Amino acid sequence: KGEDFLKACKAEGNNVYLLTKKELEHEDWPHDSIEEIFFIDDWNDDDVINGIAYKFRSINFDRFVALDDFDVEKATMLREQFRMPGMGQTTGRYFRDKLAMRIQAQDSKISVPAFTALFNDDAINLFADTVPALWLIKPRSEASATGIKKIHSKEELWEVIHSLGDDRHKYLVEKFAPGDVYHVDSLIYEKKVLFTRVSQYLDTP
């Protein structure tokens, strides 16, 4: 992923460095456009920060860019740590954190299905007692339908919440809204929509 982007960055006169997993070492990267590739076995925030801080002594990094949806949060964390321009963690969460998305939409007067975080027992009980099932429990930071569970009753809801243990704060519950599902990809620059493509799902995720 991101090969065309890496080539374009180099063509614009930038020095390009790539941080990726060791298991991807032999992928078909555009090596002519990359100064150096740094490999990690698994992402650990402290280890990556320490490694980049060490490299920063000799390389003056100007930007951190995520090449994948799953790396958006990682890039925002690095920008915060090294005070880089671009989206920080709060803004980045609007693109990855399903709870942040819903709260932002609601605050902007955009209709969203009823939802609640799984932080507080009383708030969960109020949701279950006032919002008719069917419900969905969703991970806040996964993509597509990964980790989504259908919930049919308050008893089942609490069973699933208890099974999440200390990870329950990483999920939310919302009312299932039947109907066609669409996905919109768009590019916005200086508050102007430059590109939009609407795709319809063949079925619900």
Side-chain angles (χ1 to χ4, degrees), residues 106-125:
Q106 196 173 60
D107 290 347
S108 300
K109 310 303 182 194
I110 296 171
S111 296
V112 293
F115 70 92
T116 188
L118 300 186
F119 304 149
N120 179 265
D121 291 354
D122 289 340
I124 296 167
N125 282 322

Side-chain angles (χ1 to χ4, degrees), residues 81-98:
Q81 180 67 34
F82 294 100
R83 308 316 305 160
M84 288 281 181
M87 288 192 304
Q89 288 172 300
T90 296
T91 305
R93 280 179 176 263
Y94 298 142
F95 295 87
R96 289 286 300 147
D97 182 340
K98 292 181 177 71

Side-chain angles (χ1 to χ4, degrees), residues 118-183:
L118 300 186
F119 304 149
N120 179 265
D121 291 354
D122 289 340
I124 296 167
N125 282 322
L126 178 63
F127 174 89
D129 292 337
T130 57
V131 178
L134 190 71
W135 308 310
L136 298 174
I137 281 189
K138 294 183 175 182
R140 290 170 56 184
S141 292
E142 290 290 351
S144 188
T146 305
I148 295 177
K149 294 180 174 68
K150 270 187 184 177
I151 307 295
H152 299 83
S153 67
K154 184 176 180 179
E155 292 72 23
E156 184 182 2
L157 174 63
W158 277 110
E159 285 177 15
V160 173
I161 291 172
H162 290 315
S163 74
L164 296 173
D166 290 339
D167 285 336
R168 71 183 245 183
H169 66 280
K170 299 176 182 178
Y171 292 76
L172 62 88
V173 60
E174 72 177 1
K175 180 172 178 58
F176 176 74
D180 295 333
V181 181
Y182 294 85
H183 180 92

